[in-house]
Amino acid sequence: MSIAARQGRIREELRGQGLDALVVTDLVNIRYLSGFVGSNGVLVVGSASLVLLTDSRYATAARDQVTETDVVIAGRAYDPAVFAALPILRGFDPALALHLGKVLECSYHCK
């Protein structure tokens, strides 16, 4: 089964379950659904798009390996891109979503 077919199947299941998105953290499943073979990544599967978050070591490789998937390069373990992925999938302005992700990140560390 092609990667595009796998993605379509997951999207059908999401719709059937009434879910907006699926966050995939297991690297084997990320590879299965996107083709990305790096050692660090998070894949967000939405009803209309996919977003792969990974670090700067994979900036070129990620864009070369995946198709029909947006790539977000994250810098640190608590990068705001993780918080921003779902709003971006839902159509919010990426700059605003990343800024608000940074606010969430900072508030998390300032307990």
Side-chain angles (χ1 to χ4, degrees):
M1 177 182 301
S2 71
I3 289 174
R6 294 173 193 156
Q7 293 171 354
R9 209 165 149 203
I10 277 288
R11 287 187 173 126
E12 287 176 26
E13 187 63 28
L14 286 172
R15 282 190 292 277
Q17 296 291 325
L19 300 172
D20 294 322
L22 173 69
V23 177
V24 182
T25 58
D26 184 277
L27 292 172
V28 172
N29 293 331
I30 291 170
R31 181 177 185 175
Y32 182 79
L33 291 170
S34 71
F36 177 66
V37 297
S39 64
N40 180 19
V42 173
L43 182 68
V44 181
V45 182
S47 60
S49 62
L50 280 87
V51 176
L52 173 69
L53 298 101
T54 190
D55 66 56
S56 60
R57 296 174 295 165
Y58 300 107
T60 302
R63 290 184 178 101
D64 290 344
Q65 292 170 4
V66 301
T67 58
E68 304 297 322
T69 303
D70 294 320
V71 176
V72 175
I73 302 302
R76 301 178 314 262
Y78 293 101
D79 193 281
V82 174
F83 297 107
L86 186 58
I88 291 170
L89 270 175
R90 291 191 173 178
F92 286 87
D93 177 78
L96 176 61
L98 286 166
H99 173 73
L100 293 175
K102 183 66 177 172
V103 171
L104 285 170
E105 175 201 2
C106 291
S107 65
Y108 173 80
H109 290 295
C110 298
K111 290 183 180 182

